[in-house]
Each structure stands twice: as C-alpha cells, then as structure tokens.
Amino acid sequence: MKSKATLFFNAFLVIVFVLAFTLPASAGKTYKLGMSLAITGPTSDAGNPYAKGAEDWFKFVNETDYLGDGDKIDCPIRDDQYKNDTTKRFFEEFLDDGILIFLSYATGGNLALKRDFEEVQIPVIPASYHEGLIVDANYTFMPVATYSENAVGLAEYITENHQGDNIPQVAFFIHPSAFGRGPLEDTQKAIAEGMKIEIVEVVEHGTDLDNTAMLQRLVSKGVQYVICQTVQTPVATMLTDAQRLGVTAGSFGEKGKLTFLGAHYTGGSDLIALAGTATEGYIWADSYNLTSENNEGAKKQLELAKRYDRDDKAANSHNYGAGILAAQIATEAIKMAKSADLKVTRENLYKMLQKMNFNSFVAAGPVTYSETERIGVDVQNIYIAQDGVFKKIQSFESQYIQKVRAGR
C-alpha cells in the first residue's frame, strides 16, 4: 500500500502537469486602446486602409511580443461611418471600458469631442490633421504635419517655382467643411504675413459630377494654380474633367493652363487608381514615405501587408501607412512607460508622449513631441505624379506656417 505522502506527491505532479498545458507560458498584461473611424461611408476610401494599417501593426506587436513580458494591446476598431454622434457614443463606451489612448478619425468628430478629451485627460491620436485640433489643446497628438502646413507649404512651393514677373494667381478647391476651410484661412494669414500669391477664387465643391463651367471660369480669370484640400474622389473628377477640356498644364505653371496641387488626403496611389493619366503632373504634399519610393521603409510596409494577406491596393496606400503610424505612436508610448518602470496609465502615457522621439518606416521624418510640440512629423515630401506613380521631388518644412502660428 502506498503511503499518504506518496499519494500526495503523485497528485501534486498531476496538478503541475495539467497546469503546464492549460496556462500560457507568460500571461502578461493587456493594455486597452480604442479606435473609431469610417471603415464605410463617404470617406471610407481613406478610412478602410487606415483601419487595416492599425489592425496589422497591433497584430504584429502581439504576435512578436514587441512589448516584452507577454504584454499585449487590445484595440477594438469600430466603424462610425463618418458620423459625429456615433463617434461620440463609441468614445464614451471606450471610456467605460477603461481605454488608455483614443485613436480617432474625422475633423468634425474630433472638434466635437475636443473639450471632452481635455476634461477626461486622455491622449488622442487623430487621423485628421486639422490645425484647429491642437490649438488650445493639450491631449491631442497630431501624427504628422497638418493640412494647413500642406496648403501653406504648397503655396510656398508655387512662389519658389513660378516663372514670370506676375504674382501667382491661385484658386482653392476645398471640401465644404472645417476640414476644407481651415487650411484656406491659414494660407490667407500667410499672405498677410507677406507670402506672394493671390487667391483669385475659392471653390467649395458639391456633389456635382461635372466641373466644366468651373474650370473654364478659372482659366478665364487667369488662374494658373489650383490647391486642393478635400478627399480623393472630387479631385479625381476635377482632374478628369480638366484633361477632357485640355486645360491641364503640360509643365509646372504653364500659362493659360492649370497646375493642380493638393494636401494629404487628395493624393496617393488611390488618386491614380481613380483618375489614371489625368493625374500626371499633380503635385502633392504629404508626410508619409510611399511604397513607390522602393526604399527600406517601403519594403517594411509591404512586408507587413503581405504578412496579413492585404491586397496591393491596401498595401500601397499611404492611408495604410497612416494607420500603421497612429498605432506605432500608441505602442511606443506604452513601451517607453514600461522601460521607465512606470505603471502604464493615461497620465504616464501622456508624459511619455511628450518625450517621444523615434523613427517609423512609414514616415518622411522622425516622430518627435515635447511639452509644447504636438505635431509628430514636421517634414513634408513634395511628390509629383509621373508615369502612373508619385515620385518625390524634395523634402521641406513650411516657414510661413511658423509665422501664422506665432500670430495666434
């Protein structure tokens, strides 16, 4: 007969054996984030690949133990369909769930929640790069240069490259919202600070599918440059109409023709897919590295997309890269807090964001914040559409936008 000690020892071994196969090797901690954006709806061309980029980066982080110690990130991604009230409801539900950082989307939704972000003191990483989101705000961390920096920077590019003695004649083609009007207002302030362009007309586009009358009117007024601040679809329609009418400039600033330029959400591979050859010569300002550059950053973006079976359209979209960057900023904040032996809380992540300085393979420059700086990537690339892809012309930082900000 076995002794009681032997029976107890055998039972102990059985328990150890069972636990070894039922418990994870390292349970780790789970950090909750929340993302609300338009996967469907009027701006889904941008929101859909953006969501895929963020989703893939968080999968990569969790599968590779990027945070160490078996720690993981749980970030539900919810489709608000570009509706502000839905965004607000999702945000409140995320708060109840105890999220540490909110990854948001549209200009309107962010403006509607701007005071809420400050009151509950939660770090926010938006997909909107509207300058107003960081004015008199502490908790919104803009990933890249704002739309205003894009527009003012493009205006500077015009003044530096315009041929002729006349002041460049410019029109704005904008979305009928704060998203579209904000960069126009800052460009007007830059003109007041001495920038040498004249804004001849501002066009707030509607849902009309034909721009014939508008384009002919701009040419008759002597407009040579059209700066776009909207999304890709209306720009694609305008460029196609301009090609049909024969008013697209064959070279930069060609007299009697129109040279088209645009900010972040107006360009990229998605625009070329929509407008084809009508895109040729389009000048675009953006703070993301493009896969068409075929550099190390581009290869890493494509490798991530391949790992998660994304199609070519998503893999090559700068909006896929934008989603990756937003997720990387949140991830780096958590990693920094852990490295500093701090508890991962909203308060400590806010502190870490203000010290952040890292290089992302999707960005045109380093991501840096400080106690007073709320824009991560200040560098912009100027791209031109040639032979079916966007190619980099130069990198730059807008000088006049600094004067505009100093005047606020």
Side-chain angles (χ1 to χ4, degrees):
M1 180 179 293
K2 296 180 180 178
S3 67
K4 289 184 178 179
T6 301
L7 289 171
F8 178 80
F9 181 71
N10 288 341
F12 174 75
L13 288 179
V14 169
I15 292 171
V16 170
F17 181 81
V18 170
L19 288 176
F21 284 91
T22 55
L23 291 179
S26 177
K29 298 177 181 175
T30 298
Y31 305 109
K32 291 186 176 181
L33 312 178
M35 171 178 270
S36 174
L37 80 171
I39 300 174
T40 62
T43 64
S44 59
D45 285 352
N48 192 294
Y50 190 101
K52 290 173 179 171
E55 180 182 3
D56 289 354
W57 178 256
F58 287 135
K59 282 183 180 176
F60 177 79
V61 166
N62 291 340
E63 290 176 4
T64 61
D65 195 24
Y66 184 86
L67 293 173
D69 307 318
D71 290 0
K72 297 187 183 304
I73 292 174
D74 176 22
C75 183
I77 299 175
R78 303 181 70 176
D79 181 12
D80 59 32
Q81 301 180 318
Y82 203 58
K83 298 176 181 175
N84 294 346
D85 55 346
T86 306
T87 303
K88 182 175 176 61
R89 176 164 58 83
F90 287 164
F91 174 64
E92 291 171 349
E93 291 173 359
F94 282 139
L95 284 181
D96 291 340
D97 202 31
I99 63 167
L100 299 166
I101 295 176
F102 182 49
L103 289 87
S104 61
Y105 187 65
T107 298
N110 278 284
L111 288 173
L113 288 167
K114 186 175 175 181
R115 290 301 107 203
D116 297 74
F117 299 154
E118 298 297 308
E119 286 180 12
V120 299
Q121 299 183 341
I122 184 168
V124 176
I125 303 169
S128 167
Y129 308 145
H130 178 65
E131 184 96 4
L133 302 186
I134 54 173
V135 176
D136 298 326
N138 297 303
Y139 288 87
T140 296
F141 291 82
M142 195 77 71
V144 297
T146 65
Y147 306 136
S148 290
E149 285 184 271
N150 294 159
V152 174
L154 287 168
E156 289 177 54
Y157 182 80
I158 290 171
T159 62
E160 292 169 2
N161 294 277
H162 174 69
Q163 301 294 318
D165 298 329
N166 65 312
I167 295 177
Q169 304 293 288
V170 178
F172 267 73
F173 181 76
I174 63 174
H175 193 274
S177 67
F179 159 66
R181 296 174 189 128
L184 167 66
E185 293 168 1
D186 282 333
T187 305
Q188 291 168 329
K189 291 175 184 175
I191 293 171
E193 292 288 341
M195 188 167 62
K196 299 298 183 184
I197 68 166
E198 180 178 354
I199 299 177
V200 178
E201 182 168 336
V202 176
V203 178
E204 292 196 2
H205 67 75
T207 56
D208 295 338
L209 297 179
D210 191 302
N211 296 285
T212 299
M214 181 267 289
L215 290 166
Q216 291 175 334
R217 185 175 68 253
L218 295 183
V219 172
S220 70
K221 288 184 174 182
V223 170
Q224 288 176 266
Y225 307 97
V226 180
I227 296 177
C228 306
Q229 168 52 19
T230 178
V231 291
Q232 293 148 337
T233 301
V235 174
T237 303
M238 180 174 63
L239 294 180
T240 303
D241 289 340
Q243 184 185 51
R244 172 176 53 80
L245 294 169
V247 298
T248 305
S251 60
F252 186 83
E254 180 184 1
K255 288 185 178 179
K257 301 291 179 68
L258 300 171
T259 296
F260 297 95
L261 313 92
H264 173 79
Y265 279 115
T266 68
S269 58
D270 296 329
L271 178 67
I272 292 175
L274 289 168
T277 57
T279 317
E280 288 289 298
Y282 187 77
I283 305 290
W284 179 45
D286 189 66
S287 292
Y288 288 94
N289 179 53
L290 302 184
T291 57
S292 55
E293 293 295 297
N294 195 31
N295 52 27
E296 288 304 309
K299 291 174 183 175
K300 289 181 179 179
Q301 178 173 325
L302 293 174
E303 286 170 4
L304 187 74
K306 183 179 180 181
R307 181 184 178 107
Y308 297 108
D309 295 324
R310 299 304 186 188
D311 59 25
D312 287 345
K313 183 180 179 183
N316 289 288
S317 171
H318 70 291
N319 292 315
Y320 179 75
I324 293 172
L325 183 61
Q328 286 178 326
I329 292 170
T331 303
E332 291 302 315
I334 295 171
K335 197 169 184 179
M336 287 173 65
K338 288 189 60 179
S339 297
D341 290 327
L342 294 173
K343 190 175 181 181
V344 180
T345 63
R346 286 180 197 166
E347 182 181 7
N348 285 333
L349 293 182
Y350 176 67
K351 292 177 182 176
M352 295 300 99
L353 280 162
Q354 294 179 93
K355 299 177 180 178
M356 185 167 285
N357 186 340
F358 78 100
N359 291 307
S360 166
F361 58 82
V362 300
V367 181
T368 60
Y369 299 109
S370 70
E371 291 185 358
T372 57
E373 176 63 51
R374 287 294 179 272
I375 298 174
V377 181
D378 294 309
V379 176
Q380 300 181 70
N381 286 342
I382 297 288
Y383 294 100
I384 184 170
Q386 287 181 339
D387 302 324
V389 296
F390 275 99
K391 300 177 181 177
K392 187 171 79 172
I393 301 174
Q394 67 181 67
S395 297
F396 80 106
E397 294 184 32
S398 171
Q399 300 303 310
Y400 270 97
I401 195 67
Q402 303 304 329
K403 297 180 181 180
V404 171
R405 288 171 180 157
R408 288 198 178 104

